[in-house]
C-alpha cells in the first residue's frame, strides 16, 4: 500500500506492476537473500497474477452467467492460482488442482484471522483475560480453516504430478 501511494505521488498512472515492483525492490534492499525464497516469489507472483489477470478472469467467468459478485470473488482466487502454477510445478513437480476449490472456500477467513490475530497480540499484552477469549475465537476459526483445507486435500486428484519443468520454461511462461 505504501509503495502504491508513493508511486502515485510521483507518477500519474504507474500501472499495476510498478508499485509491486517497488515493494519487492525495497524488501530486497532490506533482505537480498529473499530473492531465492519460494515464499517471497509465490507471494509476488500471486499479487501480480491478481493485478494482471483479475479483469480478464472476471469477464471470462461472467460469460458463464455468474453474477458479478461471484465472478469478482472467484476471479481473484483463480488469477492468483494461475499465476503461481508454473513456479509450483518447477519447485515441487505438481499442479495443485485443489487450490481452485480451497481458496474460494477459505479466502474470506484471512481477513478475520488477520484482525483477530492483531487483537490477540494487543490485548494479550494489555488485558490478558480478554486476549485469551479472542485467542479462543481465533483458534476456532483456524481449526475450521485447517479442517476445510485438510478435507479438500484428501479428495481424489487434489494435485496432479507433472514432474519438474526446466527453469527456462518457467521464465518463458512468465515472459
Amino acid at each position: 500500500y505504501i509503495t502504491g501511494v508513493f508511486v502515485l505521488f510521483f507518477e500519474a498512472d504507474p500501472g499495476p506492476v510498478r508499485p509491486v515492483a517497488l515493494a519487492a525492490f525495497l524488501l530486497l534492499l532490506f533482505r537480498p537473500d529473499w530473492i531465492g525464497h519460494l515464499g517471497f516469489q509465490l507471494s509476488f507472483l500471486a499479487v501480480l497474477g491478481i493485478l494482471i489477470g483479475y479483469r480478464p478472469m472476471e469477464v471470462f467467468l461472467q460469460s458463464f452467467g455468474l453474477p458479478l459478485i461471484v465472478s469478482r470473488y472467484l476471479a481473484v482466487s483463480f488469477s492468483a492460482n494461475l499465476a503461481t502454477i508454473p513456479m509450483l510445478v518447477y519447485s515441487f513437480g505438481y499442479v495443485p488442482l485443489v487450490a481452485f476449490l480451497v481458496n474460494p472456500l477459505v479466502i474470506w477467513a484471512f481477513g478475520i484471522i488477520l484482525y483477530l490475530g492483531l487483537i490477540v497480540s494487543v490485548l494479550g499484552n494489555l488485558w490478558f483475560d480478554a486476549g485469551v477469549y479472542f485467542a479462543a475465537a481465533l483458534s476456532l476459526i483456524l481449526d475450521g480453516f485447517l479442517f476445510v483445507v485438510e478435507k479438500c486435500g484428501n479428495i481424489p486428484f487434489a494435485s496432479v504430478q507433472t514432474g519438474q519443468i526446466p527453469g527456462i520454461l518457467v521464465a518463458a511462461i512468465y515472459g
Side-chain angles (χ1 to χ4, degrees):
Y1 174 78
I2 291 170
T3 58
V5 170
F6 181 77
V7 168
L8 284 173
F9 180 74
F10 288 106
E11 190 172 348
D13 185 20
V17 176
R18 221 170 266 153
V20 176
L22 180 60
F25 176 71
L26 293 173
L27 287 171
L28 290 172
L29 281 177
F30 174 68
R31 294 287 304 265
D33 58 315
W34 282 357
I35 191 75
H37 193 274
L38 187 59
F40 178 85
Q41 296 166 3
L42 289 173
S43 294
F44 277 91
L45 286 171
V47 169
L48 288 171
I50 292 168
L51 290 173
I52 294 168
Y54 165 74
R55 289 279 182 233
M57 182 61 70
E58 180 183 330
V59 169
F60 174 74
L61 292 170
Q62 279 190 300
S63 71
F64 291 102
L66 291 174
L68 179 62
I69 193 158
V70 174
S71 297
R72 283 188 177 160
Y73 184 74
L74 292 176
V76 170
S77 177
F78 290 177
S79 298
N81 285 332
L82 287 171
T84 57
I85 284 176
M87 186 60 77
L88 290 171
V89 172
Y90 171 75
S91 300
F92 301 113
Y94 72 91
V95 175
L97 296 177
V98 74
F100 291 95
L101 171 66
V102 171
N103 287 350
L105 290 176
V106 297
I107 201 164
W108 61 270
F110 287 121
I112 296 170
I113 291 168
L114 230 77
Y115 288 117
L116 275 179
L118 179 63
I119 290 169
V120 167
S121 299
V122 172
L123 281 181
N125 289 302
L126 299 176
W127 184 19
F128 183 77
D129 292 340
V132 169
Y133 288 113
F134 278 94
L138 178 59
S139 177
L140 287 173
I141 292 170
L142 288 172
D143 286 346
F145 177 89
L146 292 174
F147 176 80
V148 170
V149 170
E150 182 181 318
K151 290 300 179 190
C152 289
N154 290 330
I155 63 174
F157 302 107
S159 65
V160 175
Q161 297 291 48
T162 59
Q164 291 180 310
I165 59 175
I168 191 74
L169 181 57
V170 173
I173 291 169
Y174 286 124

